[in-house]
Amino acid sequence: MLISPSILSADFANLEAELKRIANADWAHVDVMDNHFVPNLTLGLPVVEALLQVSPVPIDAHLMIEDPDRWAPGYAEAGCGSVTFHVEAARDPRTLARAIRAAGARAAMALKPGTPFAPYADLLPELDMVLVMTVEPGFGGQSFLADQLPKVREVREAVRRHGGEIWVQVDGGVGSDTLERCADAGADVFVAGSAVYGAPDAAAAVERLRALAQRHAH
C-alpha cells in the first residue's frame, strides 16, 4: 500500500522544502498539465528535472497533456520512477508504454472518470500501473467521485486475472474519509493532495493514510 502525495496542493514557491516534508512517502506525485488536455497549466519537464535533483522520494509523473507519445518518454529519460499517460490522449498507447519502460520508468495508463477500462484491458501486459481518476483531471481540492469505485474494482479483477505486479492507483479527493473505500475496491497506490499538504504535519498525515490503507489491504 503506497502513498503518493500530490504536490499540486503544495507551495509552488518552495517545492524543495515541500518535498522534504513528505520524505516518508513512497512517491511524490507530480501533475504536468498543458492547458490543452486539461484546462489548467502547472509545470513541465524543466521543473520536473529540477525536482528530481532534490526529491527524497521517487517521482511519479502524471502527464495530463496532449501528444504524450512525443513527450512522455522524456520524463522517463529524465529519471522519473513512474510515468503516467492518459489513454484518451495517446495515439499508440502500446508503443508509448514500451518506450517509457525502455527509458527506465514504470509505465502507467490513466483513465478519466468518463473513460471505461474494458476497451483498454488488453494493454495490461505493457503496463506497471493503471490510474483511475476519482475526480475530473485539471484541479486539486475536488470532491471524490464514488461512482468510480466500480471501475477500480474492475481494474483490480483484470489485474488478478492477468497476474503480474500491476499497481492500481487512485487520484482525486483521496483522504482519510475516502481512502478505505478505494482500498476495499482494490486500489494499492493512493494519491493524496490536500489531505497531506493541508495538514499541519504532512509526514504525520502520510503515516495516518498509510496505516489506514494497510488495515484495508487485500
Side-chain angles (χ1 to χ4, degrees):
M1 296 304 229
L2 305 173
I3 306 298
S4 183
S6 168
I7 66 163
L8 194 59
S9 301
D11 175 1
F12 270 30
N14 295 293
L15 285 176
E16 180 175 2
E18 292 285 70
L19 284 167
K20 295 206 166 27
R21 286 177 67 199
I22 58 155
N24 62 326
D26 300 287
W27 293 85
H29 188 88
V30 176
D31 289 305
V32 175
M33 306 183 191
D34 64 357
N35 216 17
H36 295 283
F37 181 71
V38 289
N40 193 6
L41 185 66
T42 52
L43 45 81
L45 188 55
V47 174
V48 171
E49 286 173 333
L51 296 179
L52 285 161
Q53 301 302 311
V54 298
S55 179
V57 291
I59 285 182
D60 165 24
H62 177 191
L63 307 183
M64 299 177 230
I65 61 172
E66 286 182 354
D67 205 3
D69 304 75
R70 178 179 178 188
W71 300 110
Y75 287 82
E77 287 157 14
C80 293
S82 177
V83 177
T84 302
F85 62 88
H86 268 268
V87 75
E88 305 89 353
R91 287 192 306 277
D92 183 352
R94 190 175 304 273
T95 301
L96 175 54
R98 288 176 179 174
I100 290 169
R101 279 179 163 179
R106 295 175 61 89
M109 168 180 83
L111 304 163
K112 288 164 80 169
T115 305
F117 168 68
Y120 307 106
D122 62 338
L123 290 170
L124 282 180
E126 314 293 343
L127 299 171
D128 301 291
M129 182 168 76
V130 177
L131 165 53
V132 177
M133 289 298 298
T134 43
V135 295
E136 209 47 65
F139 294 92
Q142 298 185 70
S143 295
F144 177 79
L145 298 174
D147 62 358
Q148 295 304 300
L149 289 171
K151 192 192 298 182
V152 174
R153 205 164 275 118
E154 180 190 0
V155 173
R156 172 54 65 201
E157 285 306 317
V159 166
R160 274 202 194 104
R161 287 194 300 274
H162 168 71
E165 179 68 23
I166 302 172
W167 298 345
V168 180
Q169 185 181 58
V170 284
D171 176 9
V174 175
S176 48
D177 49 339
T178 53
L179 183 145
E180 298 173 52
R181 283 185 284 166
C182 295
D184 286 336
D188 51 9
V189 186
F190 306 89
V191 177
S194 33
V196 170
Y197 278 111
D201 183 338
V206 168
E207 291 305 332
R208 270 198 307 279
L209 291 172
R210 185 183 283 125
L212 257 182
Q214 282 165 349
R215 279 211 294 281
H216 290 261
H218 288 272

